[in-house]
PDB file of all heavy atoms in Angstrom:
ATOM      1  N   ASN A  12     -35.395  72.007  81.883  1.00 83.00           N
ATOM      2  CA  ASN A  12     -36.177  70.841  82.280  1.00 83.00           C
ATOM      3  C   ASN A  12     -37.667  70.971  82.008  1.00 83.00           C
ATOM      4  O   ASN A  12     -38.488  70.361  82.679  1.00 83.00           O
ATOM      5  CB  ASN A  12     -35.968  70.514  83.760  1.00 83.00           C
ATOM      6  CG  ASN A  12     -34.564  70.084  84.040  1.00 83.00           C
ATOM      7  OD1 ASN A  12     -34.005  69.297  83.290  1.00 83.00           O
ATOM      8  ND2 ASN A  12     -33.979  70.606  85.096  1.00 83.00           N
ATOM      9  N   HIS A  27     -47.736  64.202  83.112  1.00 90.00           N
ATOM     10  CA  HIS A  27     -48.059  63.248  82.048  1.00 90.00           C
ATOM     11  C   HIS A  27     -48.866  62.081  82.619  1.00 90.00           C
ATOM     12  O   HIS A  27     -48.821  61.804  83.816  1.00 90.00           O
ATOM     13  CB  HIS A  27     -46.785  62.743  81.371  1.00 90.00           C
ATOM     14  CG  HIS A  27     -46.003  61.781  82.198  1.00 90.00           C
ATOM     15  ND1 HIS A  27     -45.182  62.180  83.223  1.00 90.00           N
ATOM     16  CD2 HIS A  27     -45.951  60.428  82.170  1.00 90.00           C
ATOM     17  CE1 HIS A  27     -44.645  61.116  83.778  1.00 90.00           C
ATOM     18  NE2 HIS A  27     -45.097  60.040  83.160  1.00 90.00           N
ATOM     19  N   LYS A  38     -57.262  55.816  75.864  1.00 97.00           N
ATOM     20  CA  LYS A  38     -56.958  56.762  76.936  1.00 97.00           C
ATOM     21  C   LYS A  38     -56.231  58.035  76.511  1.00 97.00           C
ATOM     22  O   LYS A  38     -56.201  58.997  77.269  1.00 97.00           O
ATOM     23  CB  LYS A  38     -56.147  56.055  78.026  1.00 97.00           C
ATOM     24  CG  LYS A  38     -56.948  54.975  78.731  1.00 97.00           C
ATOM     25  CD  LYS A  38     -56.233  54.428  79.927  1.00 97.00           C
ATOM     26  CE  LYS A  38     -57.113  53.436  80.656  1.00 97.00           C
ATOM     27  NZ  LYS A  38     -56.466  52.890  81.835  1.00 97.00           N
ATOM     28  N   SER A  53     -40.147  43.050  75.892  1.00 89.00           N
ATOM     29  CA  SER A  53     -40.723  41.805  75.385  1.00 89.00           C
ATOM     30  C   SER A  53     -41.764  42.052  74.294  1.00 89.00           C
ATOM     31  O   SER A  53     -41.928  41.224  73.398  1.00 89.00           O
ATOM     32  CB  SER A  53     -41.326  40.983  76.527  1.00 89.00           C
ATOM     33  OG  SER A  53     -42.358  41.701  77.157  1.00 89.00           O
ATOM     34  N   ARG A  95     -28.093  41.076  81.701  1.00 53.00           N
ATOM     35  CA  ARG A  95     -27.709  40.347  80.505  1.00 53.00           C
ATOM     36  C   ARG A  95     -27.952  41.072  79.202  1.00 53.00           C
ATOM     37  O   ARG A  95     -27.245  40.849  78.240  1.00 53.00           O
ATOM     38  CB  ARG A  95     -28.456  39.022  80.433  1.00 53.00           C
ATOM     39  CG  ARG A  95     -28.080  38.060  81.506  1.00 53.00           C
ATOM     40  CD  ARG A  95     -28.721  36.728  81.296  1.00 53.00           C
ATOM     41  NE  ARG A  95     -29.973  36.873  80.568  1.00 53.00           N
ATOM     42  CZ  ARG A  95     -30.626  35.882  80.021  1.00 53.00           C
ATOM     43  NH1 ARG A  95     -30.176  34.678  80.105  1.00 53.00           N
ATOM     44  NH2 ARG A  95     -31.755  36.085  79.380  1.00 53.00           N
TER      45      ARG A  95
END
Side-chain angles (χ1 to χ4, degrees):
N12 294 316
H27 74 281
K38 294 189 176 181
S53 61
R95 294 187 332 167

